[in-house]
Amino acid sequence: TTSGAYKAAITADTHAFVTMLDPSQSGTAGLVYSTLLAGSGNHDEADAIAVAGGKIYVTGYTNSSDFPTVGPYQSALLFSFDAFVSEIDPTLSGTASLVASTYLGGSAVDAGRAIAVDAAGKVYVAGITFSGDFPITSSAYQPNYAVDGEAFLAELDLSAQTLVYSTYLGGSSEDEVKKIVVDPSGRVAMTGYTLSPDFPVTQGAFQTSMGINGNAFLTILDLTKARQGLVYSTYFGGSGGEVAYDLRRDNAGKYYLGGYSMSPDLLVTPNALSHSSAGVGVDGFVAVIDPAAAPLSRNSLVYCSYVTGLGNQIVYGVDVDASGAFYAVGYTGTNIFPPGAAQNDHVGKYGAFLLVVTLP
């Protein structure tokens, strides 16, 4: 922790931390800000981070009844685990660096898995809730809780201590958001996984029915339109089950996903790096979906490929640059690259990988 940390020491057990590094500096000078973020419970976990206007925003979940709150929308822990949302200003020191912090949840387990901030400073948080009384606004797209765990999306104004928007998202089985992206018009795109055969999908979506064991999804909501706010929603995957961990949007409105697949029948495009699974372990996948493609359905899949080899592969992060190059990172248990890659020989039990795909 740095001298300006909000919290420099904790008791035993597992607690969250937030660290800011400057890679242009050498040695300890590169540690700009680092703090623990915790109460006295035995588990505080930060699962997602966003940076906007020089502030750091984090979400996760906690079982600490004294998790630090500042100007909270929800001041108390309501069950064994609640989500939390915290805003940190690393230019300030000590307790002043925690600008805002709140619990978010109901009377069962809730966890924040994804966070984003728009140009106006509103904070969007998504994840999974098992609470039938999770705070839901009257403008929600889906006001009612089903069973077995539901995805949620919430918009918070931390400075005003208000919940601007909140909705469930899902069907009759477990659903979870892993990543969210706010587009320039304020619409919110989400990805993750669903086990619900009745997950909400839009007419003409790329994939309108779920595989046998659940699929990833891509869902876009317009939060200004309440019950009519579902702009686009599709399953993504095959018969074996998929989870998407990351999501990005390019300037043309296409969405880039990455995660893992256990399906032998994932629909890949002709220009894929790997057209089929190696059939050993878990495969990574990368995909590009264009919700505005006309006509919709199969034409909306711009690119899809397995990231596969004789071992386990998972894509944890994706990005896209202005030229349209698609970046994916994760880990692999084998060599996944064609000849000519910078490091073509896999060394060790597991290795990180960087994959760059240039789309036509």
Side-chain angles (χ1 to χ4, degrees), residues 99-342:
V99 177
S101 188
T102 185
Y103 292 102
L104 182 64
S107 58
V109 172
D110 316 284
R113 301 297 197 199
I115 191 166
V117 184
D118 68 15
K122 300 295 193 304
V123 180
Y124 300 79
V125 179
I128 186 169
T129 177
F130 292 85
S131 298
D133 58 351
F134 190 88
I136 298 297
T137 56
S138 60
S139 58
Y141 160 70
Q142 183 179 324
N144 298 319
Y145 179 78
V147 292
D148 294 331
E150 203 88 279
F152 74 86
L153 170 66
E155 178 189 354
L156 291 155
D157 185 335
L158 293 179
S159 62
Q161 304 170 28
T162 57
L163 184 66
V164 179
Y165 178 92
S166 183
T167 186
Y168 294 112
L169 177 68
S172 56
S173 194
E174 187 171 300
D175 318 282
E176 182 172 340
V177 175
K178 293 289 191 182
K179 185 72 176 185
I180 56 178
V181 171
V182 182
D183 74 14
S185 68
R187 301 185 306 181
V188 180
M190 296 166 278
T191 196
Y193 71 88
T194 178
L195 304 180
S196 298
D198 53 353
F199 188 85
V201 296
T202 49
Q203 185 177 7
F206 161 67
Q207 181 180 330
T208 56
S209 60
M210 188 185 78
I212 298 171
N213 295 310
N215 287 141
F217 65 85
L218 171 64
T219 298
I220 304 171
L221 280 178
D222 184 338
L223 308 193
T224 67
K225 294 184 178 179
R227 304 290 191 277
Q228 307 302 317
L230 192 64
V231 176
Y232 180 85
S233 189
T234 184
Y235 292 103
F236 176 82
S239 60
E242 284 75 29
V243 174
Y245 283 110
D246 205 6
L247 178 69
R248 290 292 188 275
R249 178 187 184 275
D250 68 15
N251 292 333
K254 297 190 293 293
Y255 286 89
Y256 297 68
L257 294 78
Y260 75 81
S261 173
M262 300 180 69
S263 298
D265 52 357
L266 197 63
L267 182 65
V268 299
T269 50
N271 54 349
L273 171 69
S274 298
H275 290 87
S276 60
S277 168
V280 179
V282 174
D283 294 313
F285 76 83
V286 289
V288 183
I289 295 176
D290 184 358
L296 295 175
S297 190
R298 297 304 187 194
N299 289 335
S300 60
L301 186 65
V302 178
Y303 180 83
C304 181
S305 177
Y306 285 102
V307 180
T308 188
L310 300 177
N312 291 321
Q313 290 73 223
I314 296 181
V315 174
Y316 280 117
V318 297
D319 210 344
V320 58
D321 65 21
S323 72
F326 180 18
Y327 300 79
V329 295
Y331 81 84
T332 178
T334 187
N335 177 31
I336 60 172
F337 295 126

